Every structure is written in structure tokens, then in C-alpha cells.
Amino acid sequence: MDLNSASGVVLQVLTQASSQDSTVLKPAEEQLKQWEIQPGFYTVLLNIFTNHSLDVNVRWLAVLYFKNGIERYWRRVAPHALSEDEKSTLRAGLISNFNEPVNQIATQIAVLIAKVARLDCPKQWPELIPVLIESVKVQDELRQHRALLTFYHVTKTLASKRLATDRKLFQDLATQIYSFACSLWQHHTDTFLQHVCSGGEPAAVNLLERSMLSLKVLRKLTVHGFLEPHQNDGVMEFLHAVFERLGQVLQCSRNVGAEHICRERLEKMIVLFTKVLLDFLDQHPFSFIPLIQKSLEFAIRYVFTEAGDGIVFERFIVQCMRLIKMIVKNDSYKPSKNFEESKPETISAHQIKMSFFTYSTLTEICGRLVTHYFRLSEEDLAMWEEDPEGFAVEESGGDSWKYSLRPCSEVLFIDIFHEFSMILTPVLLEMVHTLQGQSLVEDRNALLIKDTVYNAVGLAAYELFDSVDFDEWFKSQLLGELRVNHNWYKPLRRRVIWLIGQWVPVKFKPDSRPLLYEAILTLLQDQDLVVRIETATTLKLTVDDFEFRTEQFLPYLESIFSLLFRLLQEVNECDTKMQVLHVISCVIERVNNQIRPFVGCLVQYLPLLWKQSEEHNMLRCAILTTLIQLIKGLGEESNNLYDFLLPIIQLSTDVSQPPHIYLLEDGLELWLVTLENCAAITPELLRIFQNMYSLLELSSENLRICFKIICAYVFFDCSEFWQMYATNLCQSFLELLKDITMEGQVHVLKVVENVLQVNPTVGPQIFQSLLPPVCRGIIEGERYPVVMSTYLGILGRVLLQNTTCFTSLLYQMSQESNLEADKVLGNLIDMWVDRMDNITQPERRKLSALAMISLLPSVNSVIQDKFCGIINICVESLHDVMTEDPETNTYKDSMLISSFEEAQVTEDEEPPTEQDKRKRMLALKDPVHTVSLQPFVYEKLKAQQELLGEEGFRYLMETVDTEIVTQLQEFLKEF
């Protein structure tokens, strides 16, 4: 690309590409895409975005195309890579003048310089860092700021590289420039503090920005630039200076009002100081040991004493709490049980920590956490009134402890209480004791304090196990508080039902549960929505507990389920609907088919909710989860839902539809349980199977459940299914077996095995092309035992139940291997005998014995040569399956299943599904479960004896080990 002639053309196309008119925009984008690989294109872009007289939008676009080009074409091995000459020109141009007037473009230029630095610095770009260092020293404020901005992005990018060689290079760089970076930060911070204290606001803003950028550089250098930073005096001096500077900035913030132009950035700077400490502690816990005492003193002074009044703000308090938590919880500071075996550094850190957390310090922290930071603020209470659902969602936020004050304080309380439970348990119990008795509804402050104490008791439930008789407290105090209906009491009603939910999995006697169900039933009718949502959550914890008893819950089931459904209809937030749906799912799961009389309204409502949630895939996932439990509970009656259910399965499992990204996993589970609970296959269910081929092509972690779904279709033994899908399914399996894990191979082969079990006549025809690889795998001695076991299970089915197919297979293998069919048979028997120990499932071992002995009677010389091995397999299996009755001294086959036997279902077990019934009917036709091995072996040997005569049979038996013959005679003594 000729630079002189191209600049104007590229500028024109970039101007068109920044147009809002799509007819102009699209062709321009296509042209730029073609130019991406043209030599000289990025030099033209550099000239355009560094020309400050051009339109900002055009320059912005030029920067973006340049940045994208770095990612695609800068590496030497990339297709259409930039030439070394052009890259050298571009590198020089990028750092020739740090005078970009537009902040957004300046940031993008800094980022793209950092991207180049990631690839080229320091080897191909040794001048970058020296130029940056010189540029940040200049007096021109704009150039100084832009150079400092670039310095930060370069440092950040280089620090993020993780290869050992790259880390070593960054450490070398940090050693070289650390002193300069510290002096730069000190200078900008001093200058900023002088200006802000003297009231020079505009200058203070610029100085604050430069102070923050230099601190960000130091943060990366300090955390990632040293292998053992505690051995570097400069690093430790900086970290100690952080506390001094942070104190100064905090005091400065006291004088800067909320309206001050610097206020927001000042708070960001304060948080940045804490990030330096948190990151350093996270990456270098042992190097942090000299800072533990100072960190704890600093954090607790500002967060838990009056020293922080009027200074601290929420984000800073959260960061300080995280710092305390990380010190308390740090595994590097916890000695091993054998104290003497711990590292000296660990013992030192532990001693500092333990000497700091004295009784008075801990009680002060605990008291302030509970009564101050746990307390619902006026803003919280206002939100409760104005947007109860929003309040409930915010209260149940997952990772909010990292960012929000009250959740963070709760997590800190849990960690400190766990670490110092011996000291803090009496302190908390004393708080509870002083609040015993019902509070006056007019004393709102007392109610809010009680809320905080109950919160603490719930958070510390596991630690208080031996110290609190919760059942007695529940009956004597808490139940009464749940019954108080005054409006000001609702925070306490919510807290009490939450508290109970925390204690249920810890310590809650079964005989107290009916009282709890009655309370839940009452609270689900509460006028306050937040109380009802919290009650639903406690219900989930209660029914999910291992001590849940269905018979205790059944008297309340209809009413509670009805109220849950009403709550589901009433709430509007997506998160809340999901929360309630999870409770409903849990209830259905625990009571199973007992739910059937009560789900009519839910069944009618779910289609509407599904339609309303079209833009909320996570809510749809919750609906799928509910449907899964609903189908399990309804059993064969679930066919009444098919008009709604099957289109959902179709959509969720269709990989050509965008929602499948969110819905696939639950959709597959729903598909499976629908088939398992289906009494008879329907045309619609057959059509959905079209989705399976694309799912198999994904070869994802969902393959396991895909194979379960395929098996579910197999168990229907439906001729229409095989007519529609046999050919394609077999082809899919062949493709999968070429490139799949050993575990995946087993799943494919198990499907084939199930098909042969369900239909031994048609099965071999369906998977005819899969049988030769199975034979080859056996003969070649497949090295994975699980795969070999499945191979033998497949071949055993064919040999035992379809001799015509087996004979045809032998002939095919002989043609393929250029060996006689008898030779192939001999090789199969040899490997079968040799690998019998690979088969661990008793059913397959018996199948092998039945299959092997079914080769008799025979005059085939190969079979007679292998007679000893066949008998060995039979005797092994007889030991596996025959049980002796000591009274009658007779043997019984333990695998026989009688059609008159009914499966006994205990109270804790789920009732059998329709698929369980199909499997049972299948077992009643399966030789493994219908043919007794003992008489079958006897009859085959008897037939062989009759075929060969006494003399010939005796000669044959002499080939068998005498001990094996003795064991065989013992099993056959009844005949």
C-alpha cells in the first residue's frame, strides 16, 4: 500500500465506516477488512489517529482497527503477519509523542501500546520503558499524564504474563524501575495533598489522577515483580508508607465535602490503597507477616472505633473487613496440629495474630459487627417498604459479601467466630440472654437490635451446637415471636424464620417439625411479602434436611403447596420466581407421587410462565427443574402435560436454537425423566429424537445423559423407532467410536448391549457394522478392562441368543482376517477365557458362562480343544451366582427373577418408574434372569456326553484340571 496515495483513500473509507447509514457503513467495513492484510495499512492508520486535526470519530475508529490488527497480525507466526520493518516503524511512531488531547483515544492508544509490549518488550522493543520513564519526567502536564497512563497499561499487561521466562523478565524490570516508580508516586502524592489542602481544585484533580496512575504502576510491580518481596527494602518501605499515605488521604477526605470535585476520585484512591495490601497478602502471605500487626491495627481502628466516624465510607469498610478476614482465615498463618512441625514463618504469623486478638478486642469487634454493621439501615427499611421484592433479592445475593457492607460484615463475623469461638460464644450468649422475652412492639430500636443478635446466632449455628438448646428456645420464645403481627415486628418475624432455617440442618428435633410446619403455614399467609419469601426459603431447607419425614409433612402439604403457588404468581422479579420455583421443586421431589392431587393449578400456570419468561433463560432453567420433579411426581400421569412439555424439550435440546446454551442440560434431564415415566411411546416423542444426532456430534459433557436417553427409547422396543432412526444412529456411533474417550466408548457399547438384550433378533441387524470391531477388539486383547468387559457382553448376547448372526459374524471375520472361521472362533474363546477377570458384573459373568456352554454339544475340534477353558468359565460363574441352602444341601441360582415377585419399595425410596417396569418385564425374558445356570450346564454337558459317548466324553473331561472337575461335580451333584 503506497502511503502517499493511500492515506486519503483510507481516511475517506474510515469516514464512511463511522457513518450511521448502513448503506454507506457496510461497504466501508468490507473494504477495511480487505485492507487489514495489506502492507502499510497500519502505518496509514497510525498517521490518521495521531493527526489531531481530523474528526474524533474517524480517529477513534482508526485506533480500534489498529488494536484489532495487533491481535491478529503482529505475531511473526500469524498468517499475513506484519513485516519486521513495518512493525519497527509503528513502534517508533507509537511512542514518538504523548500529546493525545482526547481522553478516550489516549486510553485506547495506551492499551494498544501495551498489547505490542506484551509481544515485543523487552527484546524487540528495548527503548519502550526508557522512553516512558523520560516522558513521565517532563513538565508538560498533558504529555506527563499520557506517558504515565501508558506506563500503567504496559506494566499491567507485562505483569499478567504467567510463563516462567516472562515472569523473570518482569521481575528484572521491576528491580530496575522500582525506585523510580516509588519516587514518582511520592512526588505526585505530596503535590496532590498540598494542592487539595490549599483548595486548588482543578489542579488537584489532575494531580490526583497522576498519583493514582503511579500507585497503580507500583501495585503491579510490588505484587508481581518480586519473588521474595520481603527481602527488598524498597518494597517493604513502600508498603509501610501505604499506611501513612492512606491515613493522610483519609484525613484529607474529612475536609473534602461530598460536592467537592475530587471526592469520588479520592474514594477510588483510598480503595486502591487497600487493593495494594489485599493483593500483596494474597500473593505473598509470608512476606506480608511484618505488616499483619499494622494492618489489623489500621483496619480495626477505622472500622471498629470512633476514629473512623466521619471519614470512612462503605467500600473502604468492606475492603478493611476483607483484609481482616484474609488475615484471620489465611492457611499460611495456621500451624499444623503438631505445632513443632510448622514453618517458623507460620508460627510467627500465628503468634502475632493471637496476641492481637485479645478478649477486649474480640468483644469490641463482635459487638460492633452485630449491633452496628448487621443492623438494617433506614435505607434498607425504606427499600423494604417501597420494593419488598427487590429487598428480598438483594438480601439473598450470592457474592455480595465481597462488595456490600452488611453481607461482608456477616462473613467476617462467621470467620472470626469460628476462629475464636471459645472466647466469643459466652459473649454472644450473653447478648441473647439480655434480649429474652418478647420485645415491645413500640420499641423499634430494640426490635432491630434483637434482629441483629438473632442474625448472629443463625450465622454461628454450627459453633453454638453444644451451647444452645434450640428446640427449647424455639418452643418457648421463637414461636411466640412469629405470632406477633404488628407492622414493626415484621423484620423480626423474617429474622426468626430465617434463624430457624439456619438451625434446622444443625440441631432441630423431629418432634418439633410439626410445630414448624404450622408456623410456616401461617407465615406463608403473612401480609408482608419479604416474610413470605424468607419463609419459603426456610421451608426448602427443612424439606431438604436428611431428617425430613414425609408422613409428618403430609397433613400440611396441600395448604403449603397452594400458598407457594400463590406466592409464585404474586412475585414479579425473575430472581424471586426462580427462588420460589426451587422451593416448589424441592417439595415435589421429597413427597414424590403424594403431590399428584395438588398440582393442577401449577400445571395450568407453568405454560403461561414459560411464555412470559422468553427473555429470561435462567428463569426457564428453573421452570425446567420444576418440570423434572413434577414429571417424577406424576409418573405415568405426566402424559397429560405433553402438549406443553414436548415442545419445551424440543426447544431446549435443539442445538440450532440459541436458548439451548442455557437450557440444554436441564432440557436433557427433562427429556430423560419424561421417557422414564412414559407408559407408551408417542409419535411426538419419536420426532424429538431428531435432535439427538446433533447432540452426539457435540461430543460434550452431556454425552452421558444422551446415551441414557437413547437407552430409554431402546427399552420401549418400538419398531417405528428403529425404522426411523436405526441407520443414522448406527452411523453416529461409528463416528463417535473413532474419536472418543474410553468412558465414551463404554457408553456407546452399553447402548448396543441394551439393544441386543431388548431384541436379540433385530438388534444384530441394526448394529451389524459395529459387531466386527467388537470381535477385533476381543481378539486383539483390548487393554481397557471396562471396554473388554462390554465387548464380551455384546458378543455373549449374540452367541447365546442369535446363533445365525454369530455364525455369519465368524464368516465375516474370517474373510476379513484371511483365517478359517474355526480359527477365529478359537482365538475368541482363548481371549474370552484369558480376560474373564475383566468382567466384574455378575450378570455379564453368568452371560459369558451361558454363551460359552451354549457352544455344546459339538463335534467341532476347535470347541473340543477349548473345552477346558469353557468349563473354567462355567465353574467360575457357578461360584458367582449359585447360593447353597444349608438345610436342603441344594443350590439355587441367585439371579433368577420370578414374575410373581413384587419389588418392595420402602418409605424413603422412590416408587418404580414406567421404565423400571419395562426393565423388569425385559428381565423376565432375559436368559440371565430366566435360565438357571446349574441345570443349563448339566444339560449341555449331558448332551455332549451323548454326542461323543462315554469314552469320548471322559477323554474330554480329562483335559480339565482335577480341582475344577471336583468343583463342577459338587455343583451338579443334584442331577
Side-chain angles (χ1 to χ4, degrees):
M1 181 175 281
D2 181 77
L3 302 187
N4 294 325
S5 61
S7 295
V9 178
V10 173
L11 179 59
Q12 182 182 359
V13 175
L14 281 170
T15 305
Q16 293 168 350
S18 62
S19 169
Q20 300 298 313
D21 185 349
S22 60
T23 59
V24 176
L25 171 67
K26 293 295 182 185
E29 287 180 338
E30 286 298 319
Q31 181 61 70
L32 289 167
K33 189 171 182 62
Q34 292 175 21
W35 284 339
E36 280 182 358
I37 59 174
Q38 291 294 316
F41 176 62
Y42 294 97
T43 304
V44 173
L45 290 179
L46 175 65
N47 292 335
I48 289 173
F49 69 69
T50 55
N51 185 343
H52 305 158
S53 65
L54 297 176
D55 180 72
V56 170
N57 293 327
V58 172
R59 294 173 58 226
W60 169 263
L61 206 55
V63 171
L64 293 184
Y65 270 94
F66 193 105
K67 189 170 70 171
N68 292 337
I70 294 170
E71 295 174 353
R72 295 172 187 166
Y73 309 115
W74 199 274
R75 286 182 174 85
R76 282 179 292 177
V77 295
H80 310 293
L82 276 72
S83 69
E84 291 303 315
D85 287 343
E86 185 173 6
K87 287 197 290 185
S88 179
T89 303
L90 293 172
R91 285 192 293 260
L94 286 171
I95 57 173
S96 62
N97 200 354
F98 296 102
N99 60 350
E100 173 55 54
V102 181
N103 283 331
Q104 292 88 338
I105 294 178
T107 301
Q108 290 300 318
I109 293 173
V111 169
L112 68 83
I113 290 174
K115 285 182 177 292
V116 175
R118 184 180 183 87
L119 301 171
D120 289 359
C121 188
K123 292 182 180 179
Q124 284 80 35
W125 207 1
E127 64 273 18
L128 172 62
I129 301 299
V131 167
L132 288 174
I133 289 175
E134 288 304 313
S135 299
V136 298
K137 296 178 181 177
V138 300
Q139 295 303 309
D140 183 283
E141 290 188 0
L142 180 64
R143 289 188 62 201
Q144 187 185 66
H145 177 272
R146 298 318 191 213
L148 194 51
L149 178 67
T150 306
F151 192 23
Y152 161 60
H153 281 285
V154 168
T155 309
K156 177 182 176 183
T157 300
L158 295 180
S160 68
K161 300 178 76 172
R162 287 291 171 261
L163 292 178
T165 52
D166 293 326
R167 296 180 75 169
K168 179 66 171 63
L169 286 171
F170 186 72
Q171 288 162 10
D172 292 342
L173 172 66
T175 304
Q176 295 167 23
I177 68 172
Y178 196 81
S179 177
F180 168 75
C182 283
S183 61
L184 189 70
W185 168 67
Q186 293 277 17
H187 167 72
H188 285 308
T189 306
D190 285 338
T191 312
F192 157 69
L193 288 171
Q194 291 169 10
H195 272 76
V196 80
C197 292
S198 62
E201 288 191 10
V205 172
N206 295 327
L207 289 166
L208 174 57
E209 180 72 18
R210 272 171 272 173
S211 177
M212 285 185 67
L213 284 171
S214 55
L215 181 57
K216 287 179 179 181
V217 170
L218 267 178
R219 177 187 173 196
K220 295 301 178 182
L221 294 174
T222 303
V223 175
H224 302 288
F226 300 90
L227 198 59
E228 295 182 318
H230 61 281
Q231 295 182 358
N232 186 293
D233 292 341
V235 172
M236 299 312 292
E237 286 173 11
F238 162 68
L239 289 168
H240 283 288
V242 164
F243 293 99
E244 179 187 351
R245 291 300 195 185
L246 182 49
Q248 291 173 347
V249 175
L250 281 167
Q251 292 302 323
C252 175
S253 70
R254 186 193 295 271
N255 304 322
V256 174
E259 296 78 21
H260 194 284
I261 192 170
C262 287
R263 180 69 199 189
E264 185 179 346
R265 295 186 186 183
L266 201 59
E267 290 187 357
K268 287 182 179 180
M269 187 180 196
I270 291 168
V271 170
L272 182 58
F273 275 115
T274 63
K275 285 180 178 179
V276 173
L277 297 172
L278 287 166
D279 288 355
F280 190 75
L281 171 56
D282 180 59
Q283 294 294 318
H284 304 285
F286 287 135
S287 294
F288 194 85
I289 291 172
L291 304 168
I292 290 176
Q293 180 81 17
K294 186 173 282 190
S295 298
L296 290 173
E297 288 174 352
F298 181 90
I300 286 166
R301 176 170 179 262
Y302 281 102
V303 175
F304 293 104
T305 72
E306 294 178 357
D309 293 351
I311 298 177
V312 297
F313 52 95
E314 181 168 324
R315 185 70 194 279
F316 172 68
I317 297 171
V318 166
Q319 293 291 90
C320 287
M321 287 184 176
R322 289 182 64 196
L323 185 60
I324 299 167
K325 168 190 162 61
M326 284 180 68
I327 293 172
V328 170
K329 287 278 288 180
N330 204 302
D331 290 335
S332 299
Y333 303 159
K334 293 182 178 180
S336 59
K337 290 184 180 179
N338 190 344
F339 198 81
E340 292 73 19
E341 294 178 358
S342 304
K343 292 181 179 179
E345 299 93 335
T346 299
I347 293 173
S348 173
H350 178 71
Q351 289 171 344
I352 294 170
K353 189 172 72 171
M354 298 307 290
S355 63
F356 178 84
F357 286 107
T358 60
Y359 175 82
S360 60
T361 300
L362 287 168
T363 52
E364 178 65 28
I365 292 171
C366 180
R368 196 163 174 89
L369 278 172
V370 173
T371 59
H372 181 72
Y373 289 114
F374 283 12
R375 182 167 175 152
L376 290 170
S377 66
E378 290 302 320
E379 291 79 8
D380 293 328
L381 295 171
M383 184 179 182
W384 187 324
E385 294 297 332
E386 295 164 11
D387 181 15
E389 240 188 287
F391 176 85
V393 169
E394 192 169 297
E395 287 288 291
S396 61
D399 281 343
S400 60
W401 68 268
K402 294 179 182 176
Y403 313 107
S404 187
L405 181 54
R406 191 145 41 83
C408 182
S409 64
E410 290 172 354
V411 171
L412 178 60
F413 173 82
I414 292 169
D415 291 334
I416 289 182
F417 202 95
H418 175 76
E419 194 76 8
F420 303 100
S421 58
M422 294 291 289
I423 296 173
L424 291 177
T425 294
V427 174
L428 183 55
L429 292 179
E430 179 60 28
M431 290 183 183
V432 175
H433 180 72
T434 59
L435 295 172
Q436 286 293 76
Q438 203 160 290
S439 302
L440 296 172
V441 293
E442 296 84 3
D443 191 346
R444 196 176 196 189
N445 184 60
L447 292 173
L448 292 176
I449 292 296
K450 183 178 275 193
D451 174 84
T452 66
V453 174
Y454 282 7
N455 189 6
V457 175
L459 295 172
Y462 285 95
E463 308 298 333
L464 297 172
F465 180 88
D466 294 321
S467 305
V468 174
D469 183 348
F470 190 79
D471 289 274
E472 174 58 31
W473 192 29
F474 166 71
K475 292 173 183 176
S476 63
Q477 171 86 14
L478 301 178
L479 272 177
E481 292 185 311
L482 288 176
R483 296 179 183 127
V484 180
N485 288 319
H486 193 280
N487 188 51
W488 281 9
Y489 225 86
K490 65 186 180 185
L492 199 57
R493 285 202 303 279
R494 166 185 165 266
R495 180 59 65 194
V496 169
I497 197 62
W498 171 88
L499 171 63
I500 295 167
Q502 301 306 112
W503 274 85
V504 161
V506 178
K507 189 178 183 181
F508 199 77
K509 293 178 181 176
D511 61 8
S512 297
R513 287 174 183 260
L515 288 173
L516 174 56
Y517 296 143
E518 289 176 10
I520 287 172
L521 185 58
T522 302
L523 288 176
L524 284 174
Q525 302 171 70
D526 198 278
Q527 292 182 351
D528 186 78
L529 185 61
V530 177
V531 172
R532 285 153 59 199
I533 292 170
E534 193 65 67
T535 302
T537 303
T538 294
L539 174 63
K540 182 180 183 298
L541 293 168
T542 306
V543 300
D544 224 4
D545 185 56
F546 72 97
E547 288 195 356
F548 174 78
R549 299 289 179 267
T550 305
E551 71 278 6
Q552 287 183 313
F553 185 65
L554 285 179
Y556 310 94
L557 174 59
E558 181 177 6
S559 300
I560 285 178
F561 195 81
S562 173
L563 291 167
L564 284 173
F565 174 65
R566 188 188 304 171
L567 179 60
L568 178 64
Q569 288 179 298
E570 185 175 336
V571 296
N572 298 307
E573 295 280 345
C574 182
D575 287 343
T576 324
K577 284 189 179 291
M578 287 168 57
Q579 190 176 340
V580 179
L581 276 171
H582 285 314
V583 179
I584 290 173
S585 299
C586 193
V587 170
I588 297 173
E589 182 179 11
R590 294 313 299 264
V591 302
N592 204 276
N593 58 8
Q594 310 262 18
I595 199 67
R596 292 182 183 182
F598 315 123
V599 295
C601 292
L602 179 64
V603 167
Q604 291 176 11
Y605 175 66
L606 285 178
L608 175 62
L609 184 58
W610 179 266
K611 188 174 181 180
Q612 292 173 343
S613 63
E614 192 169 357
E615 302 299 321
H616 303 283
N617 286 308
M618 298 312 295
L619 177 54
R620 285 196 158 185
C621 287
I623 297 171
L624 290 173
T625 304
T626 305
L627 283 169
I628 289 166
Q629 299 306 329
L630 194 56
I631 299 304
K632 288 180 179 179
L634 290 174
E636 74 279 5
E637 294 178 14
S638 59
N639 62 346
N640 297 322
L641 277 66
Y642 281 6
D643 288 346
F644 162 57
L645 185 65
L646 301 190
I648 286 180
I649 296 173
Q650 167 70 39
L651 173 69
S652 304
T653 60
D654 184 351
V655 297
S656 68
Q657 297 292 329
H660 91 274
I661 297 170
Y662 304 94
L663 308 179
L664 181 58
E665 187 174 344
D666 293 316
L668 288 170
E669 183 70 26
L670 180 60
W671 191 358
L672 178 60
V673 299
T674 300
L675 291 167
E676 288 174 341
N677 290 278
C678 176
I681 199 77
T682 68
E684 292 78 15
L685 273 171
L686 283 175
R687 277 197 294 273
I688 292 174
F689 194 82
Q690 293 171 355
N691 287 355
M692 183 57 67
Y693 302 125
S694 297
L695 292 166
L696 293 177
E697 288 174 6
L698 286 178
S699 298
S700 67
E701 64 277 4
N702 292 311
L703 272 182
R704 182 190 296 268
I705 194 168
C706 287
F707 290 127
K708 287 184 178 180
I709 290 167
I710 295 169
C711 285
Y713 278 98
V714 167
F715 290 130
F716 282 105
D717 193 17
C718 173
S719 59
E720 288 89 347
F721 175 75
W722 293 119
Q723 288 168 11
M724 294 169 69
Y725 301 116
T727 303
N728 289 337
L729 188 60
C730 185
Q731 187 59 40
S732 292
F733 280 5
L734 285 169
E735 291 298 320
L736 275 172
L737 289 171
K738 291 177 184 176
D739 184 25
I740 198 172
T741 63
M742 182 263 289
E743 184 184 2
Q745 291 180 45
V746 172
H747 284 302
V748 172
L749 295 168
K750 279 183 177 178
V751 176
V752 177
E753 192 177 15
N754 282 332
V755 174
L756 296 173
Q757 180 189 8
V758 171
N759 200 323
T761 304
V762 176
Q765 298 172 14
I766 295 168
F767 291 112
Q768 188 174 5
S769 56
L770 275 169
L771 295 178
V774 168
C775 277
R776 280 196 296 276
I778 295 172
I779 293 171
E780 292 168 4
E782 165 62 47
R783 62 194 180 97
Y784 290 112
V786 181
V787 177
M788 179 59 114
S789 171
T790 317
Y791 281 164
L792 294 173
I794 289 171
L795 197 62
R797 288 278 171 198
V798 176
L799 172 56
L800 180 62
Q801 297 181 266
N802 197 322
T803 52
T804 304
C805 177
F806 184 74
T807 304
S808 174
L809 180 60
L810 285 180
Y811 177 75
Q812 184 179 349
M813 294 304 298
S814 71
Q815 295 287 102
E816 182 184 297
S817 60
N818 218 10
L819 295 172
E820 292 183 358
D822 282 350
K823 179 65 175 174
V824 174
L825 175 61
N827 291 341
L828 282 171
I829 296 173
D830 282 342
M831 193 55 69
W832 209 319
V833 173
D834 184 62
R835 293 299 186 86
M836 186 65 180
D837 287 343
N838 287 171
I839 307 175
T840 56
Q841 300 92 334
E843 291 84 357
R844 278 201 193 132
R845 291 178 68 82
K846 180 179 176 181
L847 176 66
S848 288
L850 291 171
M852 285 284 98
I853 201 69
S854 72
L855 291 168
L856 304 179
S858 174
V859 294
N860 186 306
S861 60
V862 171
I863 293 176
Q864 292 190 25
D865 286 344
K866 310 301 179 186
F867 182 77
C868 173
I870 293 172
I871 296 302
N872 283 348
I873 287 178
C874 290
V875 171
E876 280 188 41
S877 297
L878 284 166
H879 280 293
D880 292 334
V881 304
M882 303 307 295
T883 55
E884 186 177 10
D885 186 340
E887 294 184 3
T888 62
N889 201 26
T890 58
Y891 287 95
K892 179 183 178 183
D893 191 326
S894 61
M895 288 193 184
L896 294 181
I897 296 178
S898 167
S899 59
F900 301 103
E901 291 177 3
E902 289 294 332
Q904 297 297 314
V905 180
T906 65
E907 193 173 293
D908 294 332
E909 292 178 330
E910 293 183 0
T913 65
E914 293 300 304
Q915 180 163 296
D916 292 330
K917 296 173 186 176
R918 283 190 286 277
K919 287 183 177 180
R920 183 165 181 77
M921 294 305 296
L922 177 61
L924 292 173
K925 299 186 292 182
D926 188 344
V928 173
H929 298 296
T930 58
V931 175
S932 178
L933 182 59
Q934 182 191 29
F936 190 76
V937 171
Y938 173 78
E939 288 165 7
K940 290 295 183 180
L941 290 176
K942 184 71 174 173
Q944 185 69 22
Q945 183 181 32
E946 292 172 355
L947 180 65
L948 297 181
E950 290 288 341
E951 188 69 23
F953 185 70
R954 184 168 58 254
Y955 174 78
L956 202 59
M957 289 299 295
E958 286 175 356
T959 64
V960 183
D961 184 85
T962 54
E963 178 62 29
I964 298 296
V965 172
T966 302
Q967 293 175 29
L968 177 64
Q969 289 171 343
E970 172 64 22
F971 280 117
L972 303 183
K973 65 185 179 182
E974 300 170 30
F975 300 98

